[in-house]
Amino acid sequence: MDYKSLSDICSYVNERIATNDINLNQYISTENMIPNKGGVTKSKKLPNGKTTKAYKKGDILISNIRPYFRKIWHATQEGGCSGDILVVRAKQGVNSRFLYYLLSSDNFFEFDNATSKGTKMPRGDKKAIMQYRIPDLSPENEQKVASILGSLDKRIILNEKINHHLFNIARSIWIKKFYNKSPNGKLKNIIDLFDSKRIPLSNKQRDSMDKIYPYYGATSIMDYVDQYLFEGIYLLLGEDGTVINKSGFPILQYVWGKFWANNHAHILKGKNGFNVESLYLLLSTTNISSIVTGAVQLKINQTNLKSIDIYIPPKQELEDIKTVITPIFEKIRNLDDENKDLSKIRDILLPQLITGKMPVKRET
């Protein structure tokens, strides 16, 4: 098989965009890129300054700090990003989806990490990256590789949309039944807290770990580690930093399986008739802005969290609604687990298709 350099099919983009022309959904920094090719989350803040680096739909964004985190995103919109992010654009005639799969391969990230500069906070070597050797595929085979892998991604995206819809259904059911009811209890009456089991890990500690189990912070997965503190279904509520949205509702994460959590998120389970799912819906519909403290660094301490006034439904009404919402959340977990499996299959197929070790089916 013939090979060529990455620079033959793409180039870096250093265009600028006015900060005033983008919003939090359009700004990408290394902090809101998810490790292990997890894409991006909503940014917490916009950058200082009048302009920032620009990207367009179809560009590939790669975090250039600590390449071993494998942070990459195929842009679905235009916007702005941090200077610590590489914006790569396919040259004319090159399939941008194929380029994304090429750059999301384990081989590429291993090369990026091996050629990076620095020890405490290594950065990818931009010149070396463009010298990365790739198979010289025809445009037709590029399209076929992108099509095969893209079919898996389409299923993943569909599952994500279904899960979003399922959660909205469950939330609407809860709101219709219990919203605007007069409080008759405190949150402390229906929660168990597991904050004492949290252990924060430094970047240095995590850097030496294999990336197996998710490591959660206040708002999202921050990294992956090779050990876990929790196993089962839990609800995470942001403790400091970004703890509420613009409407005053708490930042929540519904998590399950084996995971590690740092000390920036409260770890909760329900009790006295509440399971995690009903607790999730209750808190997702409860404005908690009155208990948030701090001016610069927002915080929700345990005392204030436990003091939240809530409506506790009669036992039978709570049991009735749990029989409806619990299967919905089971479906959400199943679809999310399916997405994890599809991602693994995609990552296994990727090097085989690109190198030609697994033949691309030809049209007849």
Side-chain angles (χ1 to χ4, degrees):
M1 173 176 285
D2 294 330
Y3 287 82
K4 56 187 176 183
S5 297
L6 186 63
S7 61
D8 292 323
I9 66 169
C10 66
S11 60
Y12 295 122
V13 178
N14 291 297
E15 298 169 0
R16 309 293 294 182
I17 188 171
T19 305
N20 289 339
D21 290 339
I22 59 175
N23 56 44
L24 290 175
N25 290 314
Q26 295 174 297
Y27 181 67
I28 308 299
S29 68
T30 57
E31 286 77 17
N32 66 305
M33 296 191 79
I34 303 173
N36 277 5
K37 316 170 197 177
V40 298
T41 60
K42 184 177 180 179
S43 180
K44 298 178 183 178
K45 61 180 180 179
L46 290 173
N48 298 322
K50 294 182 179 180
T51 66
T52 189
K53 187 185 288 188
Y55 66 87
K56 294 181 179 179
K57 181 178 180 180
D59 288 345
I60 293 90
L61 277 61
I62 308 170
S63 173
N64 201 38
I65 297 177
R66 295 191 175 100
Y68 46 79
F69 281 160
R70 305 181 183 213
K71 295 181 177 182
I72 188 169
W73 179 54
H74 191 208
T76 56
Q77 60 186 18
E78 64 177 22
C81 65
S82 161
D84 291 323
I85 291 176
L86 302 178
V87 180
V88 180
R89 185 170 296 166
K91 291 185 176 180
Q92 187 173 2
V94 177
N95 187 295
S96 70
R97 196 69 187 169
F98 168 78
L99 176 61
Y100 164 73
Y101 289 128
L102 193 69
L103 295 177
S104 65
S105 68
D106 290 340
N107 285 341
F108 170 75
F109 279 112
E110 288 169 3
F111 175 86
D112 191 11
N113 189 44
T115 57
S116 63
K117 298 178 179 180
T119 53
K120 185 176 181 180
M121 187 176 289
R123 292 174 177 267
D125 185 325
K126 294 177 65 176
K127 184 177 180 181
I129 288 172
M130 282 298 169
Q131 295 172 352
Y132 177 64
R133 303 295 289 171
I134 59 173
D136 187 5
L137 300 184
S138 67
E140 292 77 18
N141 276 343
E142 285 184 9
Q143 174 61 40
K144 289 176 181 177
V145 170
S147 178
I148 292 171
L149 300 179
S151 63
L152 296 175
D153 277 335
K154 286 179 181 178
R155 177 65 188 186
I156 291 172
I157 293 171
L158 175 61
N159 284 348
E160 289 173 348
K161 290 180 178 179
I162 293 173
N163 273 354
H164 180 74
H165 184 59
L166 287 173
F167 173 73
N168 284 337
I169 290 174
R171 191 170 185 269
S172 296
I173 292 171
W174 185 272
I175 289 173
K176 184 176 181 180
K177 186 73 175 176
F178 300 129
Y179 196 57
N180 282 334
K181 296 279 189 177
S182 298
N184 60 358
K186 301 286 187 180
L187 190 65
K188 66 180 180 181
N189 302 133
I190 64 163
I191 63 168
D192 281 323
L193 276 169
F194 299 86
D195 291 1
S196 62
K197 295 185 177 181
R198 302 174 304 181
I199 302 176
L201 295 172
S202 67
N203 287 333
K204 184 177 181 180
Q205 288 174 304
R206 302 199 309 269
D207 289 351
S208 63
M209 293 183 169
D210 293 330
K211 308 304 179 182
I212 302 173
Y213 306 110
Y215 177 82
Y216 286 96
T219 62
S220 63
I221 295 174
M222 295 180 60
D223 200 353
Y224 287 81
V225 294
D226 57 12
Q227 301 175 49
Y228 61 92
L229 296 173
F230 301 93
E231 182 176 8
I233 303 173
Y234 289 84
L235 186 66
L236 277 55
L237 184 148
E239 179 176 354
D240 51 39
T242 303
V243 296
I244 56 174
N245 61 24
K246 291 181 179 180
S247 300
F249 295 106
I251 301 299
L252 302 167
Q253 299 178 79
Y254 177 65
V255 302
W256 61 92
K258 299 174 180 178
F259 65 95
W260 193 294
N262 67 19
N263 58 342
H264 296 292
H266 293 295
I267 316 296
L268 293 81
K269 273 184 173 290
K271 68 178 182 180
N272 291 335
F274 275 79
N275 57 8
V276 175
E277 291 74 21
S278 52
L279 179 63
Y280 185 14
L281 294 176
L282 168 67
L283 285 171
S284 74
T285 56
T286 302
N287 189 303
I288 64 166
S289 55
S290 62
I291 69 160
V292 178
T293 60
V296 178
Q297 178 82 338
L298 301 181
K299 184 176 179 63
I300 299 174
N301 60 46
Q302 279 195 22
T303 300
N304 288 349
L305 178 65
K306 293 177 181 179
S307 72
I308 296 174
D309 292 319
I310 60 166
Y311 173 71
I312 302 176
K315 181 178 179 181
Q316 190 56 53
E317 289 186 21
L318 184 58
E319 288 302 316
D320 289 344
I321 203 167
K322 281 164 57 178
T323 62
V324 178
I325 64 171
T326 300
I328 293 176
F329 279 95
E330 182 179 3
K331 182 64 174 178
I332 289 173
R333 296 195 303 273
N334 289 340
L335 288 176
D336 192 82
D337 288 341
E338 180 183 312
N339 277 358
K340 291 184 177 72
D341 291 338
L342 290 172
S343 295
K344 290 177 182 178
I345 293 171
R346 181 194 60 203
D347 292 344
I348 291 171
L349 286 176
L350 176 59
Q352 297 175 331
L353 291 170
I354 289 177
T355 60
K357 292 180 180 178
M358 177 177 171
V360 177
K361 183 178 179 180
R362 297 182 177 276
E363 297 179 355
T364 57

